[in-house]
Amino acid sequence: MEFPNAEIIAVGSELLTSARLDTDSLFLTEKLNELGVEVIRKSVVGDDRRRLADTITMALQSAELVILTGGLGPTEDDVTRDATALALDRTLEFNQQISDWLHDRFSRMGRKMAEINLRQAYLVDGAVALPNPNGTAPGEWIEHSGATLLLLPGPPRELKPMFERECIPRLRAILPKQVIRTLFYRVAGMGESDLDALIAPVYTRYTNPVTTVLAAAGDIQVHFRARSETAEEAEALLAEIAPQIEPLLGDRIYSKGGDPLQVVVGKLLGACSETVAVAESCTGGMLGERITTVPGSSSYFAGGFLTYTEAMKISMLGVDPDLLARETAVSEAVAKAMAAGAKERTGATYALSTTGVAGPGGGTEDTPVGTVFIGLATPTEVRARRFRFPGDRERVRGFATQTALDMLRRTLKRHEPPTSWMVK
């Protein structure tokens, strides 16, 4: 069965600058997905009638639902109505009812309406006006050759209530029965290309679900989106692919419900009634910051040490000066000493440490930029591993915090938390 798709066109030259972001499309995508509609393309077009008309024409060739946001104001650079009429080869028709409403609205505000506001009383021929109690620009609902176009105001405080109140009921009435269900895994401990080589032989056999792989520093997300007439059918499609993917990825899957790694680790610590401390050098507090972004983390986060210099490692963590002189600060031995010192001074069950060369300078032949040692002190041992992370300073630090949290997660999973506990 062919399901209708949508395309969103955000209108406004200001959206092509760094000063303004298009947030309307995020809201619309969420609401459309709830209706089972897939958004196949998003565009941002400046205030140019011809260019916008061409974009509308192209959108109508691939999508059954085209939504334009913005450009419905009263000024000359508000071109959405004109461009839509041009694309559809229709005229703009003056609507007396909208004109009267505009006059009344300004009158109630104690203001005289400027003549230019009457531009908002024009509708594309054949359009149904969508009331806008939160602004002066009515929306428009247009049927055209089997497709539907929605013209919506740009300000979110106007667009959101209009779409929910006026558009969703109309869409429900015309859309076929359809749902979208999503399964996604968050994966740590492997690269994007290695992951894809592992799972591509499975997911490439399917066009439904559709697979998307997203990569960040040390954190890969694999999304499977199934689309069907019923939730049961969509979930059955996901249930078919999941048992084939999960054994391939194994314990590198750390979340099946979208939780970031710091949330997963926090839940494991909470389930075991245990605590963690951190001792950071190259990550500069990022590891402790990630842990404490989770509400309730005070129940399992004992505290941290930001020891950027050798003197601070000695005074705050008790690292042996002779060890630093012999091994250097960026070494396995010092990473272990930092983790042990943090555990001892806080009384935490576990402690993580980071020390390395994040760059762009400071690297040597023995310890090039990207070299990071991560230490972990547990109730029974202290260990550390050497890593070489790619990318700029921010990526190296991001990889380091993700890897440190994953080391702790794997240790906690072997701790065998209560059987009632399940990581979602």
Side-chain angles (χ1 to χ4, degrees), residues 108-398:
R108 284 186 281 108
M109 292 188 295
R111 295 169 51 193
K112 181 179 179 181
M113 187 180 78
E115 193 69 19
I116 194 173
N117 282 96
L118 287 178
R119 294 187 73 240
Q120 295 177 303
Y122 283 84
L123 300 177
V124 176
D125 185 29
V128 174
L130 303 176
N132 181 8
N134 301 299
T136 59
E140 300 189 33
W141 176 287
I142 306 167
E143 302 287 348
H144 180 79
S145 300
T148 301
L149 291 87
L150 304 182
L151 313 188
L152 304 176
R157 67 179 184 84
E158 300 178 31
L159 177 143
K160 291 181 178 181
M162 180 183 292
F163 189 76
E164 290 180 327
R165 184 178 58 251
E166 302 293 337
C167 300
I168 289 178
R170 288 178 166 89
L171 288 171
R172 284 202 177 107
I174 65 171
L175 288 172
K177 193 175 182 182
Q178 56 184 349
V179 296
I180 294 174
R181 289 293 182 267
T182 303
L183 167 70
F184 66 94
Y185 303 120
R186 295 188 78 151
V187 178
M190 66 188 310
E192 180 183 14
S193 57
D194 292 334
L195 177 142
D196 195 62
L198 193 62
I199 68 173
V202 175
Y203 75 71
T204 52
R205 299 201 304 265
Y206 297 85
T207 57
N208 188 15
V210 174
T211 303
T212 304
V213 179
L214 306 172
D219 183 15
I220 303 174
Q221 297 185 33
V222 186
H223 294 233
F224 301 99
R225 292 171 62 83
R227 197 176 185 187
S228 193
E229 293 185 42
T230 67
E232 291 75 18
E233 291 174 354
E235 288 163 3
L237 292 171
L238 295 175
E240 180 180 342
I241 197 170
Q244 301 177 67
I245 296 292
E246 290 184 19
L248 297 175
L249 297 177
D251 67 356
R252 287 168 290 202
I253 298 174
Y254 70 81
S255 173
K256 299 179 185 178
D259 282 342
L261 192 48
Q262 61 268 25
V263 172
V264 173
V265 167
K267 288 179 177 179
L268 288 169
L269 285 166
C272 299
S273 299
E274 295 178 333
T275 57
V276 65
V278 298
E280 302 184 59
S281 184
C282 64
T283 50
M286 291 175 63
L287 183 53
E289 193 274 338
R290 281 191 63 177
I291 294 171
T292 55
T293 58
V294 182
S297 54
S298 59
S299 65
Y300 53 80
F301 183 60
F305 302 84
L306 183 53
T307 56
Y308 220 62
T309 65
E310 291 188 4
M312 294 294 281
K313 291 177 176 67
I314 294 167
S315 63
M316 296 186 70
L317 296 171
V319 177
D320 186 345
D322 292 337
L323 180 68
L324 282 163
R326 185 172 64 252
E327 301 288 343
T328 78
V330 183
S331 64
E332 178 182 351
V334 169
K336 291 170 67 174
M338 291 171 63
K343 182 178 182 299
E344 179 184 352
R345 280 157 172 73
T346 61
T349 320
Y350 300 92
L352 291 165
S353 67
T354 61
T355 180
V357 186
T364 67
E365 185 176 347
D366 292 334
T367 55
V369 170
T371 301
V372 178
F373 288 88
I374 299 175
L376 172 61
T378 78
T380 58
E381 64 174 335
V382 182
R383 59 182 184 270
R385 285 188 59 193
R386 176 176 178 148
F387 298 89
R388 177 78 186 279
F389 298 126
D392 59 16
R393 182 178 181 83
E394 203 61 22
R395 279 181 62 79
V396 168
R397 283 155 40 107

